[in-house]
């Protein structure tokens, strides 16, 4: 089923082998929209909005989502203008069907807010996602969620020609810290020719996109095309005041 939570509560499973949210028989349907303008549709398996919620010891499996085109973002756990904790969960297979994996969609854990909500994302296992493993975004500018991303294991698809993945992405005005995570296997095999196209992009282990004051420390990033990448990009904004120290 697809679960929507709009009130304060704590959701505790019996562990990822016993408490699993899977895709409905008919596939995922749109049940949310993102915070950007214009908003884009989202099909979330667990959708939390305007509440303070803890989700722990759950599994989310996005296999066979049956989406049929680009433009709808599949998301495993989605916090929108919400606060709380996402901890000790397993999120798997948040992938678009074959042939659609270049759509820049498919986010395993996604936190978006237009205010400084506080969300801790800790000790989760995230694997086999499409675009990003863990994502935190504001609406661009100075506002956005304040996230603590710590102790997670995030493993991408490995070498692929279909999409430039990112293990962890904090951007568009989100703030906070990225500490003591293990990130691996984000490698894009089909990057553009930077000299001829004036455009360079690829897969990153940890990507900071147009955000300020992110503390990145104690992480292990391996088998990625780019390791830890702070980026300024207009009109989204500039990156500044990052602290990147003692990562492997």
């Amino acid at each position: 089923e697809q679960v929507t939570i709009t009130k304060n509560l704590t959701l505790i499973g019996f562990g990822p082998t016993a408490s699993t949210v899977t895709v409905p028989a008919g596939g995922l349907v749109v049940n949310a929209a993102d915070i950007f303008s214009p908003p884009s549709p989202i099909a979330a398996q667990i959708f939390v909005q305007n509440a303070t919620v803890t989700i722990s010891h759950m599994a989310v499996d996005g296999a066979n989502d049956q989406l049929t085109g680009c433009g709808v973002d599949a998301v495993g756990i989605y916090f929108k203008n919400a606060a709380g904790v996402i901890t000790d969960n397993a999120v798997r297979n948040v992938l678009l069907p074959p042939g659609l994996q270049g759509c820049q969609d498919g986010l395993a854990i996604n936190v978006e807010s237009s205010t400084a909500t506080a969300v801790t994302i800790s000790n989760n296992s995230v694997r086999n996602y499409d675009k990003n493993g863990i994502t935190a975004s504001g609406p661009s500018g100075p506002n956005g969620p304040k996230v603590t991303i710590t102790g997670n294991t995030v493993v991408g698809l490995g070498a692929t020609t279909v999409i430039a993945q990112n293990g962890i992405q904090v951007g568009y005005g989100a703030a906070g810290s990225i500490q003591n995570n293990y990130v691996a296997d984000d490698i894009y095999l089909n990057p553009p020719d930077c000299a001829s196209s004036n455009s360079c992009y690829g897969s990153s282990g940890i990507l900071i996109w147009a955000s300020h004051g992110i503390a990145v420390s104690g992480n292990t990033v391996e088998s990625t095309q780019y390791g830890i990448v702070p980026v300024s990009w207009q009109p989204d904004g500039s990156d500044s005041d990052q602290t990147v120290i003692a990562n492997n």
Side-chain angles (χ1 to χ4, degrees), residues 34-124:
D34 67 25
I35 64 170
F36 297 101
S37 182
S40 296
I42 287 178
Q45 292 182 262
I46 299 179
F47 174 37
V48 178
Q49 183 175 24
N50 300 327
T52 299
V53 171
T54 294
I55 298 175
S56 69
H57 297 88
M58 297 289 297
V60 177
D61 190 335
N64 194 30
D65 59 37
Q66 302 176 55
L67 295 174
T68 58
C70 295
V72 176
D73 204 351
V75 179
I77 299 175
Y78 180 37
F79 272 39
K80 179 180 179 181
N81 294 320
V85 178
I86 304 168
T87 189
D88 293 304
N89 303 287
V91 185
R92 303 279 190 270
N93 304 320
V94 184
L95 291 163
L96 297 178
L100 298 178
Q101 290 180 358
C103 291
Q104 309 302 304
D105 298 316
L107 308 175
I109 297 174
N110 185 26
V111 172
E112 295 178 348
S113 181
S114 54
T115 61
T117 54
V119 180
T120 296
I121 305 168
S122 63
N123 302 321
N124 300 284

Side-chain angles (χ1 to χ4, degrees), residues 144-185:
K146 184 175 177 61
V147 292
T148 301
I149 301 173
T150 182
N152 302 281
T153 297
V154 183
V155 180
L157 296 174
T160 177
T161 60
V162 297
I163 190 165
Q165 296 185 291
N166 303 297
I168 298 173
Q169 176 181 306
V170 175
Y172 303 97
S177 63
I178 306 169
Q179 298 177 325
N180 303 319
N181 302 280
Y182 175 78
V183 184
D185 289 348

Side-chain angles (χ1 to χ4, degrees), residues 122-219:
S122 63
N123 302 321
N124 300 284
S125 174
V126 179
R127 296 175 185 268
N128 210 35
Y129 49 87
D130 213 336
K131 180 59 179 177
N132 292 343
I134 297 173
T135 310
S137 303
S140 294
N143 297 317
K146 184 175 177 61
V147 292
T148 301
I149 301 173
T150 182
N152 302 281
T153 297
V154 183
V155 180
L157 296 174
T160 177
T161 60
V162 297
I163 190 165
Q165 296 185 291
N166 303 297
I168 298 173
Q169 176 181 306
V170 175
Y172 303 97
S177 63
I178 306 169
Q179 298 177 325
N180 303 319
N181 302 280
Y182 175 78
V183 184
D185 289 348
D186 297 289
I187 303 168
Y188 183 46
L189 290 178
N190 193 31
D193 183 337
C194 299
S196 62
S197 66
N198 294 319
S199 177
C200 292
Y201 56 85
S203 291
S204 302
I206 297 174
L207 175 62
I208 302 169
W209 184 274
S211 281
H212 303 270
I214 311 297
V216 184
S217 65
N219 302 283

